[in-house]
Amino acid sequence: MSQPPPPPNQPPQQPGFGPPQEPSEPQTPPAPATPPTPPAQPPQQPPAGPDLNKAPQPQPGYGYPQAPGTPPPAAPPTPPQGPGYGYPQQQQPAGYGYPAQQPGPYGQPGPYGQPQQPGPYGQQPPYGYAQPTVPMQAQAGQPGGGRKVNAQVAIIVSAVVAIALIVGGGVWYANSSGKDDDKQTTAEGGDTKGGEGDGKEGGSGDGGATTGEAEEKAPAATGSKVLFQVPSPKVPKGVTTISIAGSWLTDSVYAKSGLSEITGYDRKSGTKKWTLDLPGPVCAATSHVTEDNKTAIVHKPAMPSKTDPQACTEVAVVDLAAGSKVWTKTAKSGTMPVSFNNVTIGGGTVAAGSTSGGAAWDLATGDERWAPKTSDSCYDAGYGGGAKLVAVRKCGSYDQRQLHIQNVDPKTGDVLAEYKMDEGIEYAAVVSTDPLVVAADVGDSAGDGSGISDFFSIDNKTGKLRARLSAPGDEFAARCDAIYKVENCTGVTVGNDRLYIATEEHDSGGDSYSQTNEVVAFDLATGKQTGQRADAGENYEIFPLRMDGPDVIAYKRPPYDKGGQVVSIDGESFKETILMENPSTEAVRDVESRMSPDYSEIQFGQGGLYMSSVYASDFTSREKEYSVIAFGTE
């Protein structure tokens, strides 16, 4: 195996808070300057984590006034240093594809002036992650009127140079043609492999299914070896970053997006089994895979350039077994082509949404099920798929927004059940569709850029609120990109009618500088903590990835001198079983440490761990970068 390079130079830090500015024409930002490496120093004692032994407090009912949060600082705090907990000197290596990511919680910053996807104001990405953009939402048109174009703003600020990236405005639309406006939503669900319960997908999504036995078993020897690595593709001359979002795991193939292609690799050897050429980069991808190995992506119609950034207009279904496209479709809002921000599948339907339109197609044939309608004063921001199809529908003007969380029929788009969130909640992410769990930052109170202050447990048959779960940003480490990538959440999963969430890192106690965190559980019926917790261990950080039947699969990010681990957490006893422990050699650690669980794609199944970046960029002076590293125990 060739030796992987040391961590790349750090991208710029996140800018401070501020309202969106008026836009101008799209521009291409210059490459951010690399900040100087700070002098070596021992880590500071971090604040203590949440009190996990205190009695659970009753959660206020929906609509109950929230206590005001502490005003955010003028500039974000300095992120923690070190590639792993307890590392005394080096800076934290960034994951591949910095300074931005596609499917990560902060969404889709596109190259060449492509609209970038922001987090809430003041959102702090980690370890020099580049500034996500803050959109100005389009104002709602009057009912029955034409569309109204407003602007979004994107801001990227490096540690040395501040620049503004302005993005195009959104267009109002309705979801299904020929239906009542309030009932037009996209739908998806039902026929996927279960999102989190099949042992074949990483990340979070639907986790409600707890039927069947856990599939992931501990091998006789848990020590892993590197199966293969994939070099990061070289971006074209004059280009800073290109999305390579999307990775999927089937019984025989690990598939990963490249600059303008998707490649299927043999799961064990890394040998290329097929390559699907695309006309342009993948903008967005769903993690859901159907029983017959179909998935969905959004891609550009051509390679972007400085003069023509290209929009994310093409929605396609990909056969991961054959390595071929099943079909490609587009949609229009009035006369304007829709540039989609997200896509998902379920219930025999492919659904894609954005601020400028939303549409759905039959999964098998590509026949249109609904399309944007400019006369609507509401629009579907995006969809959660898997077991059900749930639309996050936005109504009202920018300063008087109301979100409608709708369980919809995937064939017709008709609303089956609806929950209306309080006005003023700007964004919501779908953590799970069955049971239905939505995350939101109420009143911008999270304060840490995670996009989450509360989770809402909703009855997807009646639309009634079951419970509201308070998850303060300074206590819990889950993140969601509720702005554009509606079903992209990390550090949290759902199953057994419980929500499993990572706590923030904190001092592990004693006189050492070591840090740790935990995974804890909330009851979705009551909104209270169950008292269960799984400890990461000294200088490890644990992240739940998905459900495996009744159990939780979690990844442990290691200290600077060890390899990462994959563990299974028993859903009832919370006993941890190690499924994999990666090599601790410096060369392997160097690559693994760049794959931050919050900002990379992590898939685990059948004894294989696959970690990949979501962006290729020229922000490195290293001779060789890797976009994929795969580990196996067999």
Side-chain angles (χ1 to χ4, degrees), residues 5-47:
N9 293 332
Q10 291 285 30
Q13 299 295 323
Q14 168 78 10
F17 296 85
Q21 306 295 317
E22 285 300 317
S24 61
E25 292 301 315
Q27 306 174 22
T28 300
T34 301
T37 302
Q41 57 182 348
Q44 300 298 315
Q45 289 284 5

Side-chain angles (χ1 to χ4, degrees), residues 526-562:
T526 65
K528 298 178 180 180
Q529 286 193 38
T530 64
Q532 298 165 305
R533 83 177 198 181
D535 296 320
E538 187 174 5
N539 285 328
Y540 284 87
E541 185 179 12
I542 189 169
F543 295 84
L545 297 177
R546 62 172 177 84
M547 299 302 297
D548 175 30
D551 299 340
V552 179
I553 301 297
Y555 172 73
K556 288 187 177 183
R557 197 173 195 196
Y560 73 96
D561 58 348
K562 296 182 180 179

Side-chain angles (χ1 to χ4, degrees), residues 20 42 69 89 134 138 152 156 214 238 247 263 311 313 369 432 449 478 550 563 574 603 616:
Q89 297 177 355
V134 181
Q152 302 171 191
I156 298 180
S247 61
T263 301
T313 56
R369 288 188 167 167
S432 167
F574 256 48
Q603 312 274 1

Side-chain angles (χ1 to χ4, degrees), residues 313-324:
T313 56
E314 315 296 299
V315 177
V317 167
V318 175
D319 186 330
L320 296 172
S324 61

